[in-house]
Each structure stands twice: as C-alpha cells, then as structure tokens.
C-alpha cells in the first residue's frame, strides 16, 4: 500500500511541461520558469541553480556537471560534459606524495567545471542565465530551512568539515550542528551566483578563482589561477548501445555511461523482480563496474539530478555534483560559501602510468552519467533520466531502464520509481530493499529523475525515497 500511494505522488504531467528535481522547491522554480515563457533548458537550469542553495552538500558552483540535451525535433540527444581538467601541478604533487590517494582535503580539490556547464545550458534556453539564477539568488539571500537530508549529510560529514574548518563554516558552525528547519542564509553564495550571471563560464577567472587558488595552495593543493581560466563545456554525440532490442543513449567517457550500456547489453529484457532476474542483472553490473572503475572505493551522496521537458519537445537531464563523499573535499571557500569539489582526488587513479592517472589537462573518470531511451514504436517520444549515487548509479539506472523497456506509460514510470531497489556494497555483495539484514523498505539512497516528452503530454517522475519531486505546469 505504501508503494502504491508513493507511486501516485511521484508523477506530474502538464500542458506546458514538467520538471523533476532533488528538491520540491527546485522543481517548482523550474515550472515557474516554464510559465514565464522559458523552455525545458531554462527550467532545468533554474532548478539546478536553486539546488546549489537547497542541497549544498551535493552540488554547487565549484563542482561539475554532465547532461543529455535534446532540442525539439532532434533525432536524439547530445551529450554535454563539464568536468574540470587536472591542474597543471597535480602530477608533480602526486609524485611528491608517493602517489598516495588524495580523496579529500586540499590536494583532492578539482578545477570546477560546473559554471561552464550551467552557461552551456543557458545557451539552449531563451531567457538567459540571469533569469535562471534569479530564484537561486533570492533563496540564498533570504535563507532556506536546513532540510532533513542536508542535516543527515552534515552529520555524516561532521568530522570532515571540522578537520578543514576548525573555526566552523556556514554549513557547520564551530559550536553546534545546524538544526532541521533552521534558516540558513548564504550571502556569499548569493554574490557568487550574481557573478555567474556576469562571468558565465569564466566565473573562476576573476576574484572568486583567485580566492580559491590561494585557499587551496595554502593548504597543500595544486590549483593556481591559471588552471581556472578557459574551462569549457564539451558537446559530443552520446555513447550508443542497445538494451532490450532498442537503442539506448548515455553520456560518453569520462562518465560511467559506457558501464551502463555494458551491463544492459549482457542481460535479457526485464522479466520481473524474481531472484534469478535480479541476480543476472547484478552479475552483469558487477562485471561492467570492474571494467570501468577507477580503483577508488565507491562512495555516494555528493550529487543531485534535474530533468525537464516542455510542450515543444525540448528535453534535458542534468547531473551536477560536488563529488564524494558529501561536502566534496571538505573545504568550504570563506566569503563565498562554496563547497569545493574533490573530483580530482576522487576521480583519478593514483597510480603512475595508469591511463586515468592525474595528468595536466586530463579529465578524471566520473561515476556521473545520464541516459535516454526512444519510444518503442520509433515515434518522436523520448525518455531521459539519471540518479545520484556514486557507483550505485549504474545498478540503479540499470534497474529503472530495464523497467521502462517493458513499458513507458504513466503507471510504468511510477512503478519504475517505486519498485524495490537493490544495490551492491563495497565488496560487490547484493543488498535488496525489504530483505532483513540488507536494506530497509525504501532504504536505498537513489534519487531518480525521469522525463518523457516529444509525444503526448510532457511528464516527469521523481524517486520518492529522499526529497525528490516532480512538478508540472
């Protein structure tokens, strides 16, 4: 009964369009943009920027971004990748430390790619970056109630934040933890968002970048102001594969999109939730991850996802991240309220000569990825989706995609969001929701967003397990 009730609430359809996001307020902001004449790209961008204020442990201006964009009338999606390259001095730093993995701390801080990604998304819209950022600026200035999910992530990251901010920071004051419901104002982030509207992809080429480089290098990191100049988002054809006899598109390397294709190509179509079906897909996912992974243990909770669709047929899914664990590197840039990502430390393989080792200008592998699936009948309709979750993104996306291969009605979309989820622990062991000793009911930390557009009424769905929501206009 609980899943049935949740299924009814996780779906939204509207004649203007629909938005799914990791926070209800963000999804609502996206639909406001649709009502103001924006398209799906404007809506997704506004929702994503709002999430940088609402979900700072997960995503932010100093993080990175991947997306699939499908303009109306296009045969398929285009991939957008905004992952910052390695700083020029990172290889020397790795050698100096004996190639000791720098998963958190100053040496882990990566060159931010998110501003280039947000700016590129604005280029697909029609209202501009300033209009998209306006609601986020207002949230940061007025303040937002500290949510239960942010409080939980802050508690889990308490020792990390204290290590790198012993005098406290906005997200963890020196003397106490923020209480659920306490209003958190972020004036520095509000100003950083304003600077984004002025500088776009060059956000870190100015004073914020100089402050970031100084703060990181003082603490033993490798980023210089020169590393922060000229970071651009890249567009490319998506990676293409087959699942259940249909084409499946994903974001290409350095994302984990190919691992999702690899896993789904190795199993037959969805046959239900029986043990044999679950174990067959789990085995395929294990093997795909073994071929893909970077050599760093899987972690989660440093990412969020947004998807939007409109009546014209535009559709987009965005995954933006501070990397892992929650609060990224653990460093928060004073004066700007920016959580610094640890994509460089978390994404690179710290082994000399490895093809994913730190090298100047090289982008690290990232577990972030998104997928798109065309209508079964070859029509113009398209499904697009993604989830946060570190390496769990692959098993969780594989489960949702296989469910949607069996049908993409409203009921199918709702079922794909609410059916029991399974995941793999750090040793590759299967953990299933509702199984004693494994995961509680609805205990996976998946947070899927899915949209369907291009044919019929634009529809969005959001995983109800955490704080995701779908809102339509």
């Amino acid at each position: 009964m609980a899943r049935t009730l949740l299924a009814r609430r996780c779906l939204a359809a509207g004649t203007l369009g629909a938005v799914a996001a990791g926070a209800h307020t963000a999804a609502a902001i996206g639909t406001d943009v649709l009502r103001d004449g924006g398209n799906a790209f404007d809506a997704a961008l506004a929702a994503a920027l709002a999430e940088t204020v609402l979900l700072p442990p997960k995503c932010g201006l100093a993080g990175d971004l991947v997306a699939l964009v499908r303009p109306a009338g296009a045969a398929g999606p285009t991939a957008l990748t905004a992952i910052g390259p390695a700083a020029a001095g990172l290889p020397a730093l790795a050698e100096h430390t004996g190639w000791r993995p720098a998963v958190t701390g100053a040496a882990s801080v990566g060159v931010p790619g998110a501003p280039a990604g947000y700016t590129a998304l604005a280029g697909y819209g029609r209202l501009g970056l300033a209009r998209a950022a306006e609601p986020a600026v207002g949230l940061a200035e007025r303040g937002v109630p500290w949510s239960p999910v942010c409080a939980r992530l802050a508690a889990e990251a308490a020792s990390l934040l204290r290590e790198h901010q012993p005098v406290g920071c906005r997200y963890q004051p020196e003397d106490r933890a923020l209480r659920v419901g306490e209003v958190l104002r972020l004036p520095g982030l509000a100003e950083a968002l304003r600077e984004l509207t002025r500088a776009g992809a060059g956000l870190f080429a100015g004073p914020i970048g100089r402050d970031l480089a100084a703060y990181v290098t003082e603490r033993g990191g490798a980023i210089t102001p020169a590393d922060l100049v000229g970071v651009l988002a890249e567009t490319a054809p998506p990676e293409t594969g087959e699942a259940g006899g249909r084409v499946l598109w994903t974001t290409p390397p350095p994302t984990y999109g190919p691992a999702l294709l690899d896993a789904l190509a190795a199993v037959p179509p969805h046959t239900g939730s029986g043990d044999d079906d679950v174990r067959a897909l789990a085995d395929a996912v294990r093997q795909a991850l073994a071929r893909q992974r970077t050599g760093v243990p899987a972690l989660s909770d440093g990412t969020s996802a947004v998807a939007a669709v409109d009546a014209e047929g535009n559709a987009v899914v965005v995954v933006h991240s501070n990397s892992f664990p929650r609060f990224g590197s653990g460093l928060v840039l004073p004066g700007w309220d920016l959580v610094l990502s640890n994509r460089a430390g978390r994404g690179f393989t710290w082994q000399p000569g490895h093809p994913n080792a730190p090298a100047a200008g090289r982008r690290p592998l990232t577990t972030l990825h998104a997928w798109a699936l065309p209508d079964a009948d070859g029509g113009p309709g398209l499904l697009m989706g993604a989830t946060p979750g570190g390496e769990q993104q692959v098993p969780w996306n594989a489960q949702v995609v296989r469910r949607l291969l069996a049908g993409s009605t409203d009921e199918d979309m709702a079922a794909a969001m609410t059916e029991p989820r399974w995941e793999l622990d750090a040793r590759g062991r299967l953990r299933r929701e509702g199984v004693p000793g494994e995961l509680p009911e609805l205990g996976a930390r998946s947070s899927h967003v899915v949209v369907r557009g291009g044919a019929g009424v634009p529809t969005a769905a959001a995983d109800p397990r955490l704080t995701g929501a779908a809102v339509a206009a």
Side-chain angles (χ1 to χ4, degrees):
M1 176 62 72
R3 290 185 190 274
T4 301
L5 292 174
L6 285 172
R8 293 174 185 167
R9 297 172 181 170
C10 73
L11 208 69
T15 53
L16 283 178
V19 181
H24 186 278
T25 299
I29 283 170
T31 56
D32 285 344
V33 169
L34 291 174
R35 293 187 189 94
D36 284 352
N39 62 18
F41 306 109
D42 296 305
L45 177 57
L49 292 175
E51 285 195 341
T52 69
V53 184
L54 295 160
L55 299 171
K58 289 175 164 283
C59 54
L61 299 181
D64 47 27
L65 178 155
V66 303
L68 287 175
V69 298
R70 194 264 193 132
T78 295
L80 175 67
T81 305
I83 307 293
L90 189 59
L93 178 61
E95 186 171 355
H96 176 72
T97 61
W99 294 89
R100 184 175 66 251
V103 179
T104 58
S108 75
V109 175
V111 173
Y118 297 133
T119 304
L121 286 173
Y124 288 92
R126 50 177 171 246
L127 300 186
L129 190 53
R131 171 62 184 88
E134 181 183 332
V137 171
L139 287 174
E141 288 185 325
R142 295 190 306 273
V144 294
W146 196 234
S147 67
V149 68
C150 285
R152 184 186 70 195
L153 297 177
E156 293 173 355
S159 60
L160 176 68
L161 290 171
R162 277 197 299 268
E163 177 185 356
H164 297 293
Q165 279 78 220
V167 297
C169 64
R170 295 276 182 186
Y171 308 110
Q172 177 146 327
E174 181 180 12
D175 56 343
R176 62 180 180 83
L178 294 173
R179 298 180 299 274
V180 172
E182 183 175 353
V183 174
L184 173 64
R185 292 179 175 83
L186 298 166
L189 180 53
E191 186 55 35
L193 285 161
R194 289 194 192 92
E195 185 65 19
L196 175 70
T197 68
R198 295 188 286 264
L203 175 65
F204 289 101
I208 302 178
R210 291 192 291 273
D211 288 351
L212 187 156
Y215 191 68
V216 170
T217 55
E218 286 170 3
R219 286 155 180 78
I223 292 179
T224 68
D227 294 316
L228 301 170
V229 175
V231 179
L232 299 174
E234 296 184 7
T235 56
E239 199 83 354
T240 304
E242 186 178 289
R246 288 159 64 184
V247 66
L248 177 66
W249 294 294
T250 70
T251 48
T255 83
Y256 263 40
L260 178 63
L261 295 176
D262 190 6
L264 289 171
V267 291
H270 177 79
T271 58
S273 56
D275 283 349
D276 289 346
D277 188 72
V278 168
R279 294 186 187 283
L281 183 57
D283 286 342
V285 167
R286 284 189 194 95
Q287 294 170 28
L289 288 174
R291 289 187 284 268
Q292 178 78 59
R293 66 167 42 101
T294 65
V296 179
L299 298 168
S300 61
D301 294 320
T303 304
S304 192
V306 171
V309 61
D310 63 34
E312 300 168 33
N314 299 299
V316 56
V317 57
V318 179
V319 191
H320 56 154
S321 177
N322 285 331
S323 192
F324 315 109
R326 69 292 298 161
F327 288 99
S329 66
L331 274 67
V332 180
L333 187 61
W336 301 103
D337 306 327
L338 294 179
V339 177
L340 302 186
S341 166
N342 60 335
R343 182 68 63 196
R346 175 64 179 84
F348 282 121
T349 304
W350 293 74
Q351 299 171 15
H354 192 283
N356 187 49
R362 176 180 288 166
R363 295 178 303 166
L365 281 173
T366 172
T367 57
L368 308 184
H369 65 283
W371 54 265
L373 183 70
D375 270 348
D377 61 6
L382 189 74
L383 288 157
M384 303 177 77
T387 181
E391 282 199 346
Q392 300 300 342
Q393 291 175 66
V394 176
W396 290 339
N397 277 327
Q399 291 165 72
V400 167
V401 170
R402 288 185 82 225
R403 182 63 179 80
L404 293 172
L405 285 167
S408 57
T409 65
D410 286 358
E411 292 77 12
D412 294 318
M413 290 179 69
M417 295 295 97
T418 56
E419 284 185 345
R421 207 73 86 222
W422 56 262
E423 62 186 40
L424 300 174
D425 70 10
R427 297 173 62 182
R429 295 173 299 192
L430 191 65
R431 288 162 29 106
R432 296 159 292 181
E433 285 184 337
V435 175
E438 296 184 16
L439 289 175
E441 290 285 347
L442 300 169
R445 290 191 177 185
S446 60
S447 189
H448 276 92
V449 294
V450 177
V451 291
R452 184 185 66 221
V457 178
T459 305
D463 193 323
R465 287 170 175 80
L466 296 177
T467 57
V471 180

